[in-house]
């Protein structure tokens, strides 16, 4: 028996017959905001994280993606295999579809990534990817230094409990609250350790 199996066996033995504790659920689980109010709050929160956020129409999506890549001087961009090609009609840099999957070394040479998202939380400014349609593998959203993330307005909710209810817990979930940034014990901020240093959020209203 491995160490893992011994530990799990001990845990199972310890909880056999135990009653699940009652977890208080008295916290607020929704906001008293309409759709426009939730978008405005999400924009405010994302800007607090020093990310670039723009509210655009569906008709402007392709042009905006091309503009952002040009503004950031991206030489290449990786996209999920199922990303709508209509999103890329104005992109002038090299486009790499993640099909077959690119290895980490190749991804490290790519300037940017474009993905969609599953759900976003207005109260916390958090965007969640679940590897669903147009989101791709988790790794492609972590290695390139620029992440252009598309947020359909209908996927915005007010609170974390609302977001959790929409998500499948067995899917690989990536929760993004601004560009990657970490502070050590002396509060020295280091950017880009765990993901892209630059996040551009396009809310499609």
């Amino acid at each position: 028996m491995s160490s893992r199996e011994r530990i799990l066996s001990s845990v199972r033995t310890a909880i056999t017959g135990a009653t699940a504790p009652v977890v208080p659920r008295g916290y607020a689980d929704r906001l008293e905001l309409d759709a426009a109010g939730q978008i405005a709050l999400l924009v405010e929160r994302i800007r607090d994280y020093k990310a670039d956020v723009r509210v655009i129409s569906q008709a402007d999506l392709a042009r905006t993606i091309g503009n952002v890549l040009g503004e950031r001087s991206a030489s290449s961009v990786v996209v999920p295999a199922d990303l709508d090609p209509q999103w890329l009609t104005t992109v002038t840099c090299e486009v790499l579809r993640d099909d077959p999957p690119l290895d980490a070394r190749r991804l490290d040479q790519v300037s940017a990534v474009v993905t969609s998202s599953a759900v976003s939380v207005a109260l916390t400014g958090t965007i969640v990817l679940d590897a669903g349609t147009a989101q791709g593998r988790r790794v492609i959203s972590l290695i390139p230094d620029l992440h252009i993330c598309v947020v359909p307005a209908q996927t915005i909710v007010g609170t974390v409990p609302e977001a959790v209810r929409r998500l499948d817990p067995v899917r690989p979930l990536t929760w993004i609250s601004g560009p990657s940034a970490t502070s050590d014990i002396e509060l020295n901020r280091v950017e880009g350790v765990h993901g892209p240093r630059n996040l551009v959020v396009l809310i499609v209203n």
Side-chain angles (χ1 to χ4, degrees):
M1 179 181 291
S2 68
S3 297
R4 179 178 183 274
E5 290 168 337
R6 281 197 294 272
I7 291 171
L8 291 177
S9 177
S10 297
V11 171
R12 291 190 187 99
T13 301
I15 65 176
T16 297
T19 303
V22 177
V23 179
R25 303 288 185 185
Y27 46 77
D29 68 349
R30 61 180 57 248
L31 300 179
E32 298 301 326
L33 291 174
D34 60 13
Q38 289 188 349
I39 291 174
L41 181 58
L42 180 63
V43 169
E44 177 186 327
R45 293 292 193 263
I46 292 174
R47 285 183 176 151
D48 283 344
Y49 292 124
K50 304 186 186 309
D52 182 351
V53 55
R54 311 177 191 191
V55 181
I56 61 173
S57 67
Q58 182 69 43
D60 288 333
L61 179 58
R63 179 178 57 81
T64 306
I65 289 174
N67 286 348
V68 171
L69 290 169
E71 292 164 6
R72 304 301 178 105
S73 301
S75 60
S76 57
V77 59
V78 61
V79 299
D82 61 348
L83 191 85
D84 186 345
Q86 293 300 313
W87 292 15
L88 306 172
T89 53
T90 67
V91 174
T92 57
C93 66
E94 180 185 14
V95 176
L96 301 168
R97 285 201 177 267
D98 190 41
D99 183 23
L102 303 177
D103 62 29
R105 188 180 301 277
R106 183 68 183 97
L107 286 172
D108 192 40
Q109 299 168 340
V110 176
S111 305
V113 56
V114 177
T115 74
S116 187
S117 55
V119 63
S120 296
V121 184
L123 187 61
T124 61
T126 303
I127 301 165
V128 186
L129 277 60
D130 69 355
T133 302
Q135 296 167 58
R137 297 182 299 144
R138 186 179 192 187
V139 66
I140 69 170
S141 67
L142 297 177
I143 296 181
D145 205 33
L146 167 63
H147 184 185
I148 301 174
C149 189
V150 176
V151 173
Q154 66 272 21
T155 66
I156 299 172
V157 298
T159 65
V160 171
E162 288 179 276
V164 170
R165 285 196 290 270
R166 288 194 180 195
L167 295 167
D168 182 345
V170 303
R171 296 186 66 84
L173 302 178
T174 303
W175 295 66
I176 302 168
S177 294
S180 171
T182 303
S183 293
D184 63 18
I185 196 170
E186 295 179 337
L187 301 181
N188 293 315
R189 180 181 171 95
V190 180
E191 299 178 339
V193 175
H194 304 295
R197 287 181 297 179
N198 301 285
L199 174 65
V200 179
V201 180
L202 305 179
I203 299 175
V204 180
N205 194 8

